[in-house]
Amino acid sequence: MTASDLVGCRFRRTQRLTHPEIAPLPAELERYERKLDARQEFLTLLPTRRGLGDGRSVPFVRIDVDGTAGIPELTTLEGLAQSADLITGAVFEQDGWRVRVDALVKVESGGYAPIIVSNHRVARPSRSSTTPVVATNRLGLSRPLAAPFKRRNHSTDGYRLAMAARALSGVGLDSGLGGQVGQDRGRVFIQPTAPLQPGLERALAAGFAIQPRRLKECATCRFWPLCEAELLATDDISLVVPGDRARSFRERGITTVESLIDASEGEPSLLAQAWRDGIPLLKREPSVSFGMADVEIDVDMEAYLDKGAYLWGAFDGERYHGFATWQPLDSVAEAENFARFYGWLMQRRDAAHAQGLSFAAYCYSAHGENHWLVESARRFHGKVPGVPSEAEVQAFIASEEWVDVFAAVRRQLYGPGGVGLKVVAAQAGYQWADEDVAGEESVSLRRIAVGRGADAEQARQRLLRYNEDDTRATAQVRHFLRAGAPGIKQEPR
């Protein structure tokens, strides 16, 4: 058992043990490759010896478990016995679980601190909080210093640190501290591990499921075909009401789709009937509508993990405009690309105003766009010409000229598969050129796109094409709503 087994689906581990012949999906392999890349980047930054002023007369002992022969668990214990300053690739096994630790660092107060590498953003700049931080290239050589950051917690990362701390405690070498390295590989954020133990204890005590339940993550799981067949055979309610949302129904004995239909529970029962009938969307009210402006532009953004936004796309009703950078993010290149996009958008708005015309820019689910509009302004204003201030961006986001189409859809439509852009656009008659670019695939394409050669150029074109489809699909959904969502009924029957 590993830390990831304790997060999300509690049946996945059972399936993995029962069906080892089922290979990971391409998306899983890509995710694993990104983890390996992150670890390698971290390892190359770690010190291998003491520097000037560190007292070179005292040897710096670093043991790389991955690069040694033998059993990694035993090599880890041998490194601890040697009192090594730094142990990379450490592995512990205890009480039926196994945890891999990217580094163990000896601390002055005694014992070791486990360090894990994650592709999450593990901390954010803060004006009101501080967190102990040490540079990766000084790990084991310098003391952490308070820096203006606030930690962000992710369950899997917390479980890994808590497991490693327990294992160290078992050999009397737990320092009570741990560290996380996020998307910025050059910083290690230090934290106490004791507060993580209750969460790990609850997760371990929860045990594992003996039968499947549909969750959001099922859509990208290699075992879904097996689980789906079993759920269909039992007509399980999670086919319509996934995860914990079905708990209140189960507690009342409503455990199947058919029993939910018969229960006359309002919208949930209508959703169940729609699922049974293969109907993707329903109207909440008899009439569906959407506002209109004289000048309309649909916007979609692509970001790489939490590092930055590399592509801002806009469709003006006639032509797609893509603003992209394939250079490293959190850089001048990203700032200049954002400035080009925002300047172009504001020029279109100002030109409309100058002609006495109304203007609106639309996106589908504004959370991501809002985040990167504000974050880009916050990071780059005053550093690169053309980047707006945070206040200017906030004013635009709050105005009636920035419209979230998803919010309007959600108010008026619902369906058993949700009301995501692809679901609604399909009913509006729109089809993507590349259906498989969303999510994991887009992250993988970005990694290829920053390279060179034919593969990189092909990846760039696919990302631009997919972004264009998202903007055009958003426009199509708007027109669909204005037409009253033709073909969509208020009730499934």
Side-chain angles (χ1 to χ4, degrees), residues 387-463:
V387 174
S389 68
E390 183 179 344
E392 180 182 343
V393 169
Q394 292 282 16
F396 173 64
I397 289 173
S399 76
E400 294 183 355
E401 294 182 321
W402 180 241
V403 182
D404 187 347
V405 179
F406 174 69
V409 169
R410 188 169 51 183
R411 285 195 303 269
Q412 302 178 89
L413 303 176
Y414 66 108
V419 288
L421 180 58
K422 285 196 171 181
V423 173
V424 182
Q427 299 307 300
Y430 195 84
Q431 186 173 4
W432 274 254
D434 292 304
E435 290 286 347
D436 61 344
V437 176
E440 295 281 350
E441 179 66 16
S442 67
V443 175
S444 300
L445 284 173
R446 164 67 188 180
R447 292 177 66 218
I448 299 170
V450 298
R452 296 180 180 179
D455 287 346
E457 182 58 32
Q458 185 181 40
R460 294 173 184 181
Q461 292 306 314
R462 287 190 69 192
L463 287 167

Side-chain angles (χ1 to χ4, degrees), residues 222-377:
R222 61 179 134 159
F223 303 114
W224 172 239
L226 296 176
C227 295
E228 183 183 29
E230 187 172 341
L231 292 171
L232 287 170
T234 59
D235 196 35
D236 191 83
I237 191 175
S238 68
L239 289 164
V240 175
V241 188
D244 287 340
R245 289 166 49 196
R247 180 178 299 173
S248 63
F249 294 117
R250 293 185 188 279
E251 290 173 348
R252 288 183 284 148
I254 303 172
T255 61
T256 65
V257 175
E258 194 63 35
S259 63
L260 180 57
I261 293 171
D262 295 339
S264 299
E265 289 282 336
E267 190 171 290
S269 294
L270 292 175
L271 281 173
Q273 186 64 64
W275 178 85
R276 178 77 78 214
D277 296 342
I279 298 173
L281 286 177
L282 296 171
K283 292 181 180 179
R284 293 191 188 278
E285 301 292 340
S287 177
V288 172
S289 63
F290 192 82
M292 183 180 293
D294 297 319
V295 177
E296 300 183 316
I297 293 176
D298 296 277
V299 174
D300 187 69
M301 173 276 311
E302 306 292 341
Y304 181 70
L305 302 176
D306 208 10
K307 289 190 174 183
Y310 64 88
L311 172 56
W312 295 88
F315 175 61
D316 63 9
E318 296 181 357
R319 180 179 165 221
Y320 169 75
H321 305 263
F323 300 84
T325 177
W326 311 111
Q327 301 300 312
L329 295 174
D330 200 15
S331 63
V332 171
E334 182 191 349
E336 290 175 342
N337 186 63
F338 174 68
R340 284 193 296 271
F341 159 72
Y342 197 83
W344 176 87
L345 187 65
M346 293 301 103
Q347 287 171 8
R348 296 297 295 262
R349 183 188 67 169
D350 294 344
H353 291 172
Q355 298 176 61
L357 303 175
S358 59
F359 172 89
Y362 305 94
C363 67
Y364 203 90
S365 187
H367 176 76
E369 278 75 13
N370 287 353
H371 171 77
W372 285 114
L373 283 167
V374 172
E375 188 68 14
S376 298

Side-chain angles (χ1 to χ4, degrees), residues 196-219:
L196 302 173
Q197 295 299 338
L200 174 61
E201 192 63 41
R202 288 192 295 271
L204 291 170
F208 295 96
I210 59 173
Q211 58 188 24
R213 293 281 186 270
R214 188 172 77 87
L215 305 171
K216 182 179 180 179
E217 64 198 87
C218 292

